[in-house]
Amino acid sequence: MKRLLVFAMVLSVVFISCKVEKKDETSNANNIKEQKIEYASFGDDITDVDAISAEEMRTKFKNLKKGDTLSVKFTSTINEVCKKKGCWMKLDLGEEQESMVRFKDYGFFMPLNADNKEVVVNGKAFVTEISVDELQHYAKDAGKSEEEIAKITEPKYTYAFEADGVLMKK
């Protein structure tokens, strides 16, 4: 009789443990759902699926020649946003390289306080030369001083990007 009672107690403990484990598995599944990244979306609807890193994008830019265009999606961090309208942004590519991003058909803008936010951009990458006038215009939009603007005296070869959609981490 004593053995039967001990056996019943052991079985009870096993059943209770199994139920607790299943509950823990359910809470782990909920935690996975909570880890989903939330984005603010600008322009066309895009996803972060198949986005390459900023470092991979820098390598792709290095292989482009003037006149080449590459459709691509990549992730990066915003170094700077236009402080007047949010009509352009500069994305970090690593190794002190940046990509100048404008938005397709001037169709959307980024928040003025988006500096240092992580983004996914989708669109066309190309290389271009930016004139002195245009560089000075961007410097003025960025709130640079007249002295800093006056120092811009040579055109700049740049990694350019026309984004049709942007996701920004919330």
Side-chain angles (χ1 to χ4, degrees):
M1 182 74 165
K2 199 175 190 182
R3 285 186 180 164
L4 187 58
L5 188 58
V6 170
F7 181 73
M9 289 176 64
V10 169
L11 274 178
S12 303
V13 170
V14 169
F15 284 129
I16 291 171
S17 322
C18 289
K19 287 184 181 180
V20 169
E21 283 182 41
K22 286 184 182 178
K23 189 174 186 178
D24 287 343
E25 288 173 6
T26 303
S27 65
N28 284 341
N30 290 339
N31 287 341
I32 290 169
K33 287 180 184 174
E34 289 175 21
Q35 292 175 358
K36 183 179 176 187
I37 299 171
E38 290 192 30
Y39 294 106
S41 180
F42 304 89
D44 291 349
D45 288 336
I46 64 169
T47 68
D48 59 357
V49 175
D50 296 328
I52 63 173
S53 70
E55 293 76 20
E56 290 172 292
M57 190 65 229
R58 183 182 66 244
T59 300
K60 289 187 181 295
F61 268 123
K62 285 180 182 178
N63 293 323
L64 290 177
K65 297 178 183 92
K66 191 172 179 179
D68 291 348
T69 303
L70 177 67
S71 293
V72 67
K73 183 186 328 180
F74 73 99
T75 61
S76 186
T77 302
I78 300 173
N79 284 343
E80 186 177 8
V81 173
C82 170
K83 298 303 179 208
K84 284 194 173 192
K85 295 183 195 175
C87 57
W88 54 262
M89 63 183 171
K90 293 181 181 177
L91 298 183
D92 184 31
L93 297 174
E95 294 183 6
E96 299 182 22
Q97 297 289 316
E98 291 182 318
S99 177
M100 179 65 162
V101 179
R102 292 187 201 106
F103 309 110
K104 186 176 180 181
D105 299 327
Y106 214 54
F108 60 96
F109 304 104
M110 295 300 292
L112 303 183
N113 63 349
D115 292 352
N116 301 312
K117 298 278 188 170
E118 291 182 48
V119 292
V120 177
V121 292
N122 186 76
K124 295 185 189 248
F126 54 99
V127 291
T128 188
E129 185 179 286
I130 301 177
S131 70
V132 172
D133 287 342
E134 199 170 355
L135 288 169
Q136 289 176 339
H137 173 80
Y138 292 145
K140 186 176 179 181
D141 283 354
K144 305 289 184 187
S145 70
E146 289 297 323
E147 186 177 277
E148 290 174 296
I149 294 169
K151 289 181 183 178
I152 301 170
T153 58
E154 293 183 20
K156 182 179 177 184
Y157 184 75
T158 187
Y159 297 145
F161 196 87
E162 181 183 77
D164 55 29
V166 178
L167 295 175
M168 183 175 69
K169 277 190 183 178
K170 289 185 177 180

